[in-house]
Amino acid sequence: MINGLKIGSWISAIVLMLSACSDSDTIQVQGTIDNPGNVKVVSFYEGERKLDSTFIGDGNRFKFERPATQERLLTLEVGNNRYPLILEPGQPASFNVNLHEPTDYQVGGSELSIQLKEFAAYKERIDFVRDSLQLAFSKATTDLDANGIQSLRAEMLQEFRPFFKNYIDQAVEFASRNDNLAGFYVMSTLDPEMAEAELIAYADQISNRFETNRYVNEFKVEVDKLRKLAVGQPAPEIVAYTPDNKTVRLSDFKGQIVLVDFWASWCMPCREENPNIVAAYNRHKDDNFTVLGVSLDDNPGSWMRAIQEDQLTWTNISDLQAWSSPLILDYQIKGIPASYIVDENGMIIAKNLRGSQLSDFLENTLTNN
């Protein structure tokens, strides 16, 4: 599994904890699975945990019933197809699908499930992209070492980023029209690595909502972790060593605008981005701007050769602990290249800008200072 690409990495099981809609303590869904072929059972999951399954009986009918006092979001799985359902105590739901046309399913009895159906096509598409990416990644990394795997991950993330950005936009738009737990579920499927700003904004929006729902509360806690490294927050201190073993701290650069660039000699996307950073540094090094290169290498020879080959004339540091470095935790780094731009007071003002985005940002920022 590519770290950071699993959709909904925080919400492994979503239990929607609201007051029951009737005196009944049972959730229920029943319906038909037409043209099931070799499929014999309908399974139900909470997140990744299999909750139960039921056989498809006469007339291709099935029925699932379970004691519950709170609304619960389940995934109904039939064959290779998965469908989200929000089941409410005392309100039996219906589900019908023809496996010859598995995307054209029908759901009733649960308004929130009906709303989720509207988003199902978007979720299905992004799941297909994610699964295709995972399959390609698994095949391509068979003979790679840890550094090669991370390098390939960065390349593939960059290639597929437009697909995930489109999904983020669709999720935000859906949640804006569905100010309820269906909207929350859709937002919870977003990847925090790619949708940080959107998730923070949404958590602010629901800060006083769903306060008895422990999974919504867990979501808010996880978003608060993102806030620590969001634009406008102070950058955590960095302490590491230059190639000649001098101690350098990020705070040493207070009073300057600093591009903190996390990279490594073995990371091909990092090396490909280095000419852009070199050009930006040479253009603005006399404008109160500098770069602090923070390497995730563990081989000093490879690190120093890359510095020389790529002409990285700014301050370069590393603790040579690679992915065991405490900086990985401090900056929540899941892949490289990763970068932060820090202002004169040590506050984060931008993140992960590359190529023309970096150049344009520096032109605007340094011109206005």
Side-chain angles (χ1 to χ4, degrees):
M1 176 61 64
I2 303 177
N3 189 19
L5 279 181
K6 184 177 179 182
I7 303 296
S9 58
W10 306 326
I11 312 297
S12 61
I14 299 186
V15 182
L16 302 173
M17 304 177 66
L18 298 180
S19 300
C21 298
S22 77
D23 292 333
S24 174
D25 290 336
T26 300
I27 54 174
Q28 181 187 124
V29 59
Q30 59 183 322
T32 58
I33 309 296
D34 290 330
N35 294 303
N38 294 325
V39 177
K40 304 298 182 184
V41 299
V42 178
S43 299
F44 295 86
Y45 290 79
E46 281 188 319
E48 299 301 315
R49 181 175 70 94
K50 187 174 183 178
L51 186 66
D52 205 348
S53 61
T54 182
F55 282 101
I56 300 172
D58 294 340
N60 296 330
R61 299 193 63 80
F62 75 94
K63 182 177 180 179
F64 167 82
E65 189 171 9
R66 190 178 183 88
T69 58
Q70 302 148 352
E71 293 179 337
R72 300 173 74 166
L73 189 141
L74 305 181
T75 298
L76 182 154
E77 181 182 82
V78 54
N80 295 322
N81 307 289
R82 294 168 69 89
Y83 307 92
L85 298 173
I86 297 176
L87 301 184
E88 306 162 68
Q91 294 190 6
S94 64
F95 177 88
N96 301 283
V97 68
N98 185 331
L99 291 189
H100 284 175
E101 298 179 357
T103 61
D104 186 24
Y105 69 96
Q106 301 298 319
V107 61
S110 166
E111 184 61 32
L112 293 176
S113 295
I114 294 170
Q115 291 174 9
L116 284 181
K117 182 179 183 296
E118 177 190 340
F119 197 76
Y122 301 120
K123 183 68 163 58
E124 181 183 12
R125 281 197 290 272
I126 201 64
D127 285 346
F128 176 79
V129 170
R130 180 197 63 193
D131 293 344
S132 300
L133 177 59
Q134 184 63 50
L135 180 62
F137 183 82
S138 297
K139 289 181 178 179
T141 56
T142 303
D143 299 319
L144 297 180
D145 60 14
N147 291 343
I149 289 172
Q150 287 296 331
S151 181
L152 178 63
R153 175 187 179 277
E155 290 180 23
M156 297 182 78
L157 271 176
Q158 191 67 21
E159 179 181 353
F160 281 84
R161 189 173 294 275
F163 294 97
F164 291 103
K165 180 62 171 67
N166 184 54
Y167 179 76
I168 291 167
D169 293 341
Q170 292 164 337
V172 170
E173 195 275 335
F174 177 88
S176 70
R177 291 187 290 103
N178 296 276
D179 185 20
N180 52 33
L181 289 167
F184 164 74
Y185 165 72
V186 167
M187 290 300 294
S188 76
T189 68
L190 295 182
D191 180 357
E193 187 175 354
M194 295 186 177
E196 176 188 276
E198 291 82 0
L199 288 167
I200 290 173
Y202 183 71
D204 289 340
Q205 180 183 329
I206 63 169
S207 61
N208 297 318
R209 302 284 309 283
F210 317 120
E211 292 180 315
T212 61
N213 185 312
R214 70 183 178 93
Y215 281 95
V216 175
N217 290 333
E218 285 184 9
F219 171 86
K220 294 174 183 177
V221 169
E222 293 298 330
V223 171
D224 283 340
K225 293 179 182 177
L226 285 183
R227 291 182 201 276
K228 295 179 180 179
L229 287 168
V231 171
Q233 297 300 311
E237 179 66 289
I238 295 173
V239 181
Y241 310 94
T242 63
D244 56 357
N245 209 34
K246 293 181 180 177
T247 302
V248 172
R249 292 174 170 81
L250 175 58
S251 56
D252 295 339
F253 297 88
K254 194 167 184 178
Q256 291 181 281
I257 292 177
V258 184
L259 170 65
V260 181
D261 179 41
F262 291 92
W263 71 293
S265 64
W266 45 261
C267 171
M268 288 304 103
C270 303
R271 303 291 296 273
E272 291 169 359
E273 179 62 18
N274 276 343
N276 295 324
I277 301 176
V278 168
Y281 174 73
N282 289 336
R283 188 179 305 115
H284 297 291
K285 62 183 178 180
D286 296 326
D287 299 327
N288 202 38
F289 169 76
T290 192
V291 178
L292 178 62
V294 184
S295 170
L296 299 186
D297 277 282
D298 56 9
N299 184 316
S302 299
W303 173 41
M304 288 186 280
R305 279 193 299 274
I307 292 172
Q308 189 172 37
E309 289 171 359
D310 293 1
Q311 302 178 48
L312 311 183
T313 57
W314 49 77
T315 301
N316 287 278
I317 59 176
S318 178
D319 57 15
L320 295 176
Q321 295 186 56
W323 293 98
S324 298
S325 171
L327 297 175
I328 298 298
L329 295 177
D330 292 344
Y331 278 83
Q332 300 179 23
I333 294 174
K334 298 180 176 67
I336 53 176
S339 64
Y340 292 78
I341 298 180
V342 179
D343 72 7
E344 299 93 332
N345 299 310
M347 308 298 286
I348 298 170
I349 57 174
K351 300 168 63 172
N352 296 321
L353 300 181
R354 302 188 181 102
S356 61
Q357 288 182 321
L358 173 62
S359 177
D360 292 345
F361 180 85
L362 291 177
E363 287 288 344
N364 293 331
T365 301
L366 296 174
T367 299
N368 293 330
N369 275 2

